[in-house]
Amino acid sequence: MADAETVPVARFPIEVYPWHAAVWSTLTGDFARLPHALLLQGPAGLGKQDFALRLATALLCAQPKAESACGQCHSCQLLAAGTHPDLKLVMPEEDRRGIVIDQIRGLGTYLALRPHTAARKVAILSPADSMNLNAANSLLKILEEPPLGSILLLVASQPARLPATIRSRCQRVLFQVPERGLAQSWLKGREGGEAAAQLLGEAGGTPLRALALSREDFLVKRETLLSDLERLLAGNEDPVTCAQRWKGLGASACIDWLTAFVAGLIRGLAVPGEPAPTLLKNTKNVLTLNKLYIYLDVVSSARNGLFSGGLDELLLLEDLLIRWCRMAERSPTIKTGT
Ligand SMILES: [Zn+2]
């Protein structure tokens, strides 16, 4: 019996993202030749999990048309109801940040049984890079002796977090940030409107992240974050109060934004011809490349810490903003020649 909570619901017709076209055609030429495990990797915001689900539906459909699920057969009806017994989605449980060993053991038992109605079983692990070491070791056993006819789709935005032994047993499928024009026209056709270019810039060029930013009204929030950073540098704002405000806006989103923003400041200083962010113009001679590189390291580890769990969001934000204020302190001048 399928566990309804771990079977994704396929909505037909399945949305096809234009930037998936090339990857799709290389994979779906011959389903019979697909390896037993694929690692779908690339930046977040490109729809890798949607791609995995689309591939799963095509693999399970009884009469796929042009390598896509028909949306009508019995198998597709089960997929649309989220009750297909030959499809399983393994993702972190609600109260956990990562996939744990019991889930992988359950997956092993599930795959060991023959398919119910389809020709094969498909499992999607997402995000696969959220697995802890025990879970990864357990998955390795499955990958070493893959149950006949089963296909595992691992979705990862940070594949380096996976042990090399797992990665080497999967065929890697690379997802890349689409060409700007393509992403922009796709976004404009949805909710991005005239702000599409700006949203894509904030989202590192990834269309689904840009769409999410648009839906959460991020451009408005961004103004708050930017003004806070400027006021903190000028000593006109209290980092603790500010941290509370940022937590209210969503700690994880704020830290993601801060990482991208600091990287942008570094580009603005280091790359000739790169437009300098306004904050640099307003805070001349305060932010140096050296300070920014050190700060980027701090923000990146905070981001990883938040991802791995166990950190207090408010304390983390306070620490980041206090360190940001410290960048306004000028290095002591060493007097020479006196
Ligand atoms: Zn079908």
Side-chain angles (χ1 to χ4, degrees):
M1 192 59 198
D3 178 355
E5 285 176 8
T6 55
V7 182
V9 177
R11 298 184 201 289
F12 293 100
I14 290 184
E15 177 157 19
V16 176
Y17 302 124
W19 57 92
H20 285 173
V23 178
W24 182 261
S25 62
T26 54
L27 276 185
T28 54
D30 186 359
F31 283 151
R33 293 181 62 185
L34 272 187
H36 62 85
L38 296 175
L39 173 56
L40 311 181
Q41 67 177 72
L46 295 178
K48 298 185 296 298
Q49 188 176 310
D50 293 338
F51 183 96
L53 182 57
R54 182 179 165 211
L55 183 57
T57 58
L59 287 165
L60 295 172
C61 171
Q63 49 198 30
K65 289 176 187 158
E67 307 296 349
S68 287
C70 73
Q72 285 154 3
C73 69
H74 178 58
S75 207
C76 284
Q77 284 171 10
L78 291 170
L79 287 164
T83 54
H84 201 299
D86 297 320
L87 176 62
K88 192 175 182 73
L89 173 66
V90 182
M91 59 193 300
E93 286 165 3
E94 220 168 65
D95 53 340
R96 292 181 188 268
R97 291 199 181 243
I99 294 170
V100 296
I101 186 167
D102 285 348
Q103 291 176 280
I104 302 295
R105 282 188 184 137
L107 175 67
T109 311
Y110 170 80
L111 293 175
L113 300 170
R114 290 154 56 97
H116 287 255
T117 62
R120 51 171 74 83
K121 283 193 167 187
V122 182
I124 300 172
L125 288 84
S126 181
D129 44 4
S130 71
M131 249 183 289
N132 62 25
L133 194 60
N134 288 339
N137 284 334
S138 179
L139 179 66
L140 190 58
K141 287 183 195 141
I142 299 178
L143 292 175
E144 280 168 347
E145 289 178 46
L148 213 61
S150 62
I151 293 190
L152 295 179
L153 305 174
L154 281 69
V155 179
S157 301
Q158 294 180 289
R161 288 174 170 275
L162 284 166
T165 44
I166 298 268
R167 279 180 275 145
S168 66
R169 281 174 174 80
C170 301
Q171 179 180 316
R172 286 187 218 189
V173 182
L174 296 178
F175 287 76
Q176 284 167 338
V177 172
E179 189 262 316
R180 188 53 70 102
L182 178 73
Q184 217 161 298
S185 63
W186 180 85
L187 194 58
K188 272 188 180 165
R190 283 163 180 73
E191 296 172 36
E194 289 312 305
Q198 206 183 345
L199 286 164
L200 276 168
E202 291 292 337
T206 59
L208 296 174
R209 173 82 191 121
L211 184 63
L213 291 181
S214 161
R215 287 181 178 164
E216 66 195 41
D217 217 2
F218 196 79
L219 291 179
V220 177
K221 287 184 191 172
R222 178 180 168 276
E223 291 308 311
T224 309
L225 301 182
L226 263 176
S227 123
D228 281 349
L229 289 184
E230 249 184 88
R231 283 148 45 87
L232 284 167
L233 276 186
N236 294 333
E237 180 59 278
D238 168 37
V240 175
T241 314
C242 212
Q244 276 164 350
R245 183 160 52 240
W246 285 35
K247 186 168 186 265
L249 295 172
S252 169
C254 288
I255 293 177
D256 277 354
W257 174 82
L258 187 60
T259 314
F261 180 71
V262 175
L265 290 177
I266 290 176
R267 275 198 307 278
L269 282 177
V271 183
E274 185 80 17
T278 320
L279 186 125
L280 282 181
K281 293 177 202 149
N282 297 349
T283 55
K284 268 208 163 80
N285 306 327
V286 172
L287 299 175
T288 62
L289 261 185
N290 191 31
K291 286 181 188 174
L292 286 168
Y293 274 123
I294 295 171
Y295 192 71
L296 183 61
D297 268 352
V298 173
V299 185
S300 304
S301 13
R303 195 162 164 243
N304 287 338
L306 203 63
F307 186 83
S308 322
L311 290 177
D312 183 287
E313 289 183 348
L314 188 59
L315 288 179
L316 199 64
L317 285 170
E318 283 175 6
D319 180 58
L320 286 177
L321 296 179
I322 289 169
R323 284 168 190 260
W324 174 263
C325 293
R326 284 198 195 133
M327 286 210 283
E329 294 165 10
R330 289 173 199 278
S331 315
T333 315
I334 300 166
K335 289 182 182 171
T336 54
T338 53

